[in-house]
Amino acid sequence: MINFVWLIPVFPLIGFLIIGLFGKKFSKGVVAVIGCTTILAAFIISAILFFQLISGSITATTVPLFDWISAGSFSAPFSFLVDPLSSIFLLIITGVGFLIHLYSVGYMHDDEAFYRFFSYLNLFIFFMLLLVLGSNYLILFVGWEGVGLCSYLLIGFWFKNNDYNNAAKKAFVMNRIGDLGFLLGIILIYITFGSTSYSGIFSQAKFFTAGRPVLTAITLLLFVGAMGKSAQIPLYTWLPDAMAGPTPVSALIHAATMVTAGIYMIARSNILYTLSPFTMSLVAIIGVVTAVFAASIALVQNDIKKVLAYSTVSQLGYMFLGLGVGAFTGAVFHVMTHAFFKALLFLGAGSVIHAMGGEQDIRKMGGLKKHLPITAITFLIATLAISGIPPFAGFFSKDEILAHAFGSNVWYWVLGLGGSLMTAFYMFRLLYLTFYGKFRGTEKQEHHLHESPSIMTIPLIVLAVLSVVGGFVGIPESLGGTHILNKFLSPVFADSTLKTLPDILSAGTEQMLMGITVVLLLGVIYFARHKYIVKQEIPVAEGQKIGFVHKLLYHKYFVDELYNNVITKPLDALSEQFDKTFENRLIGGTVNGIGKLVVRLSDLFRRLQTGSIGFYIFAMVISIICILFYKVL
């Protein structure tokens, strides 16, 4: 089957081409079947490869496909790498991607651009699969740019709305900043190692001494790319605005594709980062600060999708914290569990928005549990999972990161725990205000309330099951379990493990940390319940007076305004001056001057075209005389 690995990205690509070229002529049913079955086919092959890797019938293999780029001494073959790390991501992308496709059939059913939506979804998954399957940084970069393009297309899917277009442009521009760093990193990699292939680079890198400046420069440049793609401080502001796209798009971006690209890239480059202690510390600091910063903003947001968006930024921060402290498996583990419960949360939010007729303000909801029972139960499961309550999936993956953080620097653990407590509060605030208490919407909305159709609730149920059992692949030994995922991924991180001393905590210390975390989490949930269920407090309406801290958090620390005043406006003013001087006067004046000169010369020569044969003969005679006697003349 490994020789057919190329079919995994090709199936979604075929779906994109068929739907994109002919989808307008097809019925919505045919479009849905093509879109979903191509992703399902990719998932089936991915699953077969995964089980072959587990059983040992195949090992990590680079599958050459064709010669791609060859110039002088440089060559880059087009080949795919199948190993435990890529196979985990293949399962996440195709598995969760298929469920989101299925859900989209119901969610987007009434949209007139139904076929265009599915063609974009398929293209998005194709590029993400290319990103994780490539055996070198160049193929990774093609996928990297491709998912950026698709995010632009999908965030601005409803392009008649200018606000949505602006959100799409913001995502595109912010990612280009990061992409520049990533591209420079690839160039420096080639200059240093003479190769762009993972095998060629990593086989040389493991003999480097730690802390070499060139490795620090490479890893910093790559990390700039990761900050943009995975929405870390300071390049995170595009992700909350990306909510402008249809809700399944949000689920796909936040759970299975784009934002996990930075995590994958650093995990894949683990040996380079292990040999760069400065960059590792920076990754951990940026990660934990982002986790706490974004969680604090989510505490007071009232848009159901905005809360989840800041939650994603925060959870990505935990993944970077894990990478920064050397817990590569823990970071990948959290990518996996996060894909389950975050996709579930977004699709659940979509079900709520669908029932509320487009309303996204949780202050106008309440009491939806009895009208949307499946959505409510599955949303509760996802809330427990992301809050880190045992035995749900998020508990095991987040606990692993926090344990490693404690072993590396106790302040990482303290800040990580603080972010975790805030996560539990804002998620249960969201749950209680949405599904419990009295309904606070209009009579028309209440009359419209209903559970979503089966094609939307089945993906919710499947993701809920995964959110419950997904963590059992990484039960810590301190609880008497076996970390199956760690064993599976160990060959990928073997060289890094040899270069670092593992931060081994005693079983008693780990259990103590878990106990403290769980007790505090339960206390926070009890506080949220008392506040929003017992006392039935409702967030203040727009325009009402709020305290300074509340205002600071509600306006997201005014970072957008800061960027607008410090970067956007000065650049706009500078661009306007360049437009007036260089563009209009220098460049425009030169081009227009040449044009006018050509017009005038043409007008002059046009007079030679008189139509008089006598004049032409006269001119010909004069010309012949000139040719004959040009040396004399």
Side-chain angles (χ1 to χ4, degrees):
M1 182 55 75
I2 199 164
N3 291 325
F4 295 99
V5 63
W6 55 274
L7 283 172
I8 294 175
V10 164
F11 273 126
L13 181 63
I14 290 173
F16 159 72
L17 291 173
I18 294 175
I19 297 171
L21 292 173
F22 310 109
K24 204 169 184 178
K25 298 176 182 176
F26 295 156
S27 68
K28 290 181 177 176
V30 172
V31 169
V33 167
I34 295 171
C36 293
T37 52
T38 49
I39 306 301
L40 180 62
F43 172 72
I44 291 171
I45 298 176
S46 301
I48 293 171
L49 286 176
F50 174 74
F51 286 112
Q52 286 183 334
L53 280 168
I54 286 182
S55 66
S57 59
I58 62 170
T59 57
T61 307
T62 298
V63 182
L65 296 173
F66 53 86
D67 290 332
W68 185 31
I69 302 173
S70 183
S73 60
F74 175 80
S75 68
F78 199 96
S79 52
F80 287 155
L81 173 61
V82 179
D83 73 346
L85 183 61
S86 60
S87 71
I88 289 287
F89 274 83
L90 288 178
L91 284 181
I92 294 171
I93 297 163
T94 55
V96 177
F98 169 69
L99 293 174
I100 293 172
H101 263 68
L102 204 61
Y103 177 95
S104 302
V105 175
Y107 192 85
M108 299 297 290
H109 187 266
D110 296 329
D111 198 291
E112 58 184 17
F114 186 83
Y115 81 95
R116 185 162 55 85
F117 180 79
F118 272 87
S119 68
Y120 289 170
L121 279 191
N122 270 48
L123 187 65
F124 204 167
I125 289 184
F126 161 71
F127 277 121
M128 193 63 199
L129 292 171
L130 206 61
L131 189 155
V132 299
L133 270 173
S135 66
N136 60 56
Y137 282 99
L138 291 181
I139 299 176
L140 189 154
F141 188 71
V142 172
W144 190 275
E145 289 300 303
V147 293
L149 168 68
C150 292
S151 69
Y152 172 79
L153 295 172
L154 284 165
I155 293 168
F157 179 73
W158 289 315
F159 57 84
K160 293 179 182 177
N161 185 315
N162 279 336
D163 290 339
Y164 297 174
N165 283 332
N166 289 335
K169 282 190 285 187
K170 187 175 182 180
F172 194 77
V173 171
M174 293 290 274
N175 273 280
R176 295 290 77 70
I177 297 170
D179 293 353
L180 176 62
F182 186 35
L183 186 59
L184 293 174
I186 295 174
I187 293 171
L188 191 54
I189 283 174
Y190 180 71
I191 292 171
T192 305
F193 297 100
S195 174
T196 58
S197 74
Y198 299 143
S199 58
I201 296 163
F202 302 154
S203 61
Q204 297 178 57
K206 62 184 179 183
F207 297 110
F208 278 43
T209 53
R212 284 185 59 170
V214 69
L215 291 180
T216 304
I218 288 171
T219 49
L220 283 175
L221 287 169
L222 295 182
F223 182 51
V224 171
M227 284 193 290
K229 199 63 76 185
S230 296
Q232 294 295 285
I233 290 175
L235 302 178
Y236 71 95
T237 56
W238 66 270
L239 189 57
D241 287 3
M243 297 301 96
T247 301
V249 173
S250 305
L252 198 59
I253 289 177
H254 287 247
T257 56
M258 190 164 164
V259 297
T260 63
I263 313 296
Y264 171 79
M265 186 264 286
I266 293 181
R268 175 61 74 194
S269 312
N270 60 86
I271 185 63
L272 299 179
Y273 279 86
T274 303
L275 293 168
S276 310
F278 174 78
T279 312
M280 288 282 278
S281 297
L282 184 67
V283 171
I285 291 168
I286 292 285
V288 74
V289 170
T290 303
V292 176
F293 180 82
S296 68
I297 295 174
L299 289 173
V300 296
Q301 299 303 309
N302 297 317
D303 184 310
I304 188 170
K305 288 175 70 177
K306 273 276 169 69
V307 176
L308 298 180
Y310 279 103
S311 164
T312 300
V313 177
S314 178
Q315 296 304 308
L316 290 167
Y318 282 104
M319 296 170 204
F320 277 100
L321 172 61
L323 294 171
V325 298
F328 296 109
T329 298
V332 175
F333 188 16
H334 202 50
V335 168
M336 186 187 82
T337 59
H338 180 261
F340 300 151
F341 54 70
K342 188 48 62 72
L344 176 54
L345 286 169
F346 267 112
L347 298 186
S351 182
V352 169
I353 295 167
H354 186 257
M356 291 289 295
E359 182 62 69
Q360 295 185 196
D361 192 331
I362 56 176
R363 291 171 297 191
K364 300 174 183 175
M365 299 178 185
L368 299 185
K369 187 176 65 171
K370 63 181 178 183
H371 300 286
L372 291 79
I374 297 174
T375 302
I377 293 170
T378 54
F379 204 93
L380 171 63
I381 291 171
T383 301
L384 290 165
I386 194 174
S387 299
I389 303 299
F392 297 91
F395 165 74
F396 296 104
S397 55
K398 197 183 291 185
D399 175 73
E400 184 173 341
I401 291 173
L402 290 177
H404 278 80
F406 184 86
S408 177
N409 185 322
V410 70
W411 283 107
Y412 291 161
W413 179 79
V414 172
L415 289 171
L417 177 61
S420 186
L421 297 179
M422 285 191 272
T423 302
F425 179 80
Y426 68 67
M427 284 309 306
F428 273 89
R429 172 181 180 267
L430 182 65
L431 178 81
Y432 290 145
L433 288 173
T434 303
F435 293 101
Y436 292 81
K438 295 179 181 177
F439 183 70
R440 299 180 294 277
T442 63
E443 285 187 18
K444 183 180 178 183
Q445 286 173 327
E446 189 169 17
H447 182 71
H448 183 258
L449 290 175
H450 61 279
E451 183 59 277
S452 297
S454 300
I455 201 161
M456 291 171 67
T457 55
I458 289 173
L460 298 182
I461 295 169
V462 174
L463 287 167
V465 172
L466 291 171
S467 297
V468 174
V469 304
F472 293 122
V473 298
I475 300 175
E477 292 181 2
S478 60
L479 294 181
T482 303
H483 203 311
I484 300 169
L485 187 65
N486 187 38
K487 189 177 177 182
F488 181 59
L489 289 173
S490 59
V492 180
F493 304 127
D495 291 332
S496 294
T497 306
L498 290 173
K499 297 284 181 185
T500 56
L501 291 173
D503 301 316
I504 300 175
L505 300 179
S506 67
T509 305
E510 271 198 62
Q511 290 167 1
M512 179 192 71
L513 295 177
M514 284 182 212
I516 293 172
T517 304
V518 172
V519 168
L520 291 176
L521 285 173
L522 293 175
V524 166
I525 294 169
Y526 176 79
F527 173 70
R529 184 180 182 282
H530 181 74
K531 189 176 176 68
Y532 298 109
I533 298 293
V534 179
K535 295 177 70 176
Q536 298 187 0
E537 289 186 15
I538 307 298
V540 297
E542 296 295 330
Q544 289 191 9
K545 190 175 181 180
I546 53 179
F548 172 75
V549 175
H550 192 161
K551 187 176 181 180
L552 190 66
L553 297 178
Y554 187 71
H555 291 283
K556 299 156 283 185
Y557 295 98
F558 296 97
V559 172
D560 279 320
E561 289 78 1
L562 181 71
Y563 283 0
N564 193 41
N565 290 323
V566 175
I567 299 174
T568 307
K569 284 185 178 177
L571 282 178
D572 284 346
L574 191 63
S575 301
E576 196 173 332
Q577 285 303 314
F578 275 115
D579 183 54
K580 287 179 181 176
T581 53
F582 286 94
E583 179 68 24
N584 287 337
R585 293 180 185 174
L586 185 63
I587 299 175
T590 303
V591 173
N592 290 333
I594 293 172
K596 288 178 182 176
L597 180 64
V598 170
V599 170
R600 287 180 181 175
L601 287 174
S602 301
D603 187 54
L604 182 65
F605 285 111
R606 181 179 60 78
R607 294 175 184 173
L608 297 177
Q609 298 293 323
T610 61
S612 169
I613 294 176
F615 175 77
Y616 292 155
I617 293 174
F618 174 74
M620 187 174 67
V621 170
I622 294 298
S623 300
I624 291 171
I625 291 172
C626 290
I627 292 170
L628 288 174
F629 298 101
Y630 77 97
K631 284 190 177 181
V632 178
L633 293 174

